[in-house]
Amino acid sequence: MLELRVTNIDFDKVRITDENGETQTYDINKELAVDPFNVRDEFLHQSSKYSYWASLLEQLKLYEESYELQADKKRSELYEPSRQKLLAEGVTRPSKDQIDSQIMLDGDYYNLCNNVVAIHYQVNQIKALVKAFEQRKDMLIQYGADQRKEYEYIKKLNMPNQMP
């Protein structure tokens, strides 16, 4: 049996700190909630909510790529010294795996890799949120169509019978 242990199955708050150091906290449940008595306003605000989170996702992807590049650069800088160290230790033909293991022992490189993992997790969380806003849009469209159908049906019921 596979057993997974996670710290939090789902996230309901997102705290975003911009480049100026200003922090904004969002309650995801409130952001995604729909007021059934004011669907028109919900529909009108949907695109701005979606664009905000999609833009944030793109910014996080940019940071992710930057962290990956930093890690790749550090790995490249460490490759030859790591190979030379293995040669000095008596390894006649260091394999790629041996060199990679040596590189991973470098604290700075290890920290950069951890940054990549952390930002990758954040990117995936915001991807899920953007997808939820896409589903919210579809739901709003369907809900609006259902309300129109219901209105037309009630309107028909309340009309007096007219004979041709």
Side-chain angles (χ1 to χ4, degrees):
M1 174 172 83
L2 176 64
E3 181 177 333
L4 299 175
R5 293 180 185 257
V6 294
T7 56
N8 191 3
I9 292 177
D10 141 64
F11 67 102
D12 58 356
K13 298 256 190 281
V14 173
R15 185 175 26 245
I16 299 170
T17 304
D18 66 17
E19 292 173 346
N20 299 326
E22 293 182 30
T23 300
Q24 181 79 27
T25 302
Y26 294 93
D27 183 333
I28 299 308
N29 294 323
K30 286 182 182 175
E31 290 292 311
L32 290 168
V34 173
D35 179 0
F37 300 109
N38 206 353
V39 175
R40 178 182 296 266
D41 281 351
E42 295 291 348
F43 194 74
L44 292 173
H45 293 104
Q46 170 65 19
S47 62
S48 64
K49 286 183 173 189
Y50 177 84
S51 67
Y52 174 80
W53 291 103
S55 174
L56 179 65
L57 175 60
E58 290 306 313
Q59 289 177 13
L60 285 174
K61 284 180 181 180
L62 182 67
Y63 294 147
E64 180 181 35
E65 284 183 38
S66 175
Y67 286 148
E68 288 171 349
L69 286 172
Q70 288 174 33
D72 288 347
K73 181 177 185 257
K74 185 68 175 175
R75 185 186 185 294
S76 295
E77 290 170 355
L78 294 170
Y79 188 86
E80 188 57 28
S82 297
R83 191 177 81 76
Q84 290 300 325
K85 183 176 185 216
L86 288 168
L87 288 171
E89 291 174 354
V91 179
T92 55
R93 292 183 59 147
S95 69
K96 180 183 179 309
D97 288 340
Q98 289 173 314
I99 296 169
D100 286 343
S101 294
Q102 189 67 41
I103 291 170
M104 192 54 86
L105 294 175
D106 182 81
D108 290 339
Y109 179 72
Y110 183 79
N111 289 336
L112 286 170
C113 289
N114 276 330
N115 288 343
V116 170
V117 169
I119 193 76
H120 184 71
Y121 175 77
Q122 292 174 342
V123 164
N124 286 335
Q125 290 289 83
I126 300 303
K127 273 184 191 176
L129 183 57
V130 168
K131 189 170 187 166
F133 274 104
E134 291 169 0
Q135 292 173 346
R136 182 181 190 267
K137 174 206 55 142
D138 295 340
M139 185 271 309
L140 282 169
I141 291 169
Q142 184 61 48
Y143 189 69
D146 290 348
Q147 279 189 326
R148 281 189 299 280
K149 283 181 188 176
E150 187 176 316
Y151 174 76
E152 290 298 323
Y153 179 73
I154 291 170
K155 190 174 161 185
K156 267 186 178 179
L157 287 177
N158 291 332
M159 289 182 69
N161 288 338
Q162 296 177 359
M163 298 189 77

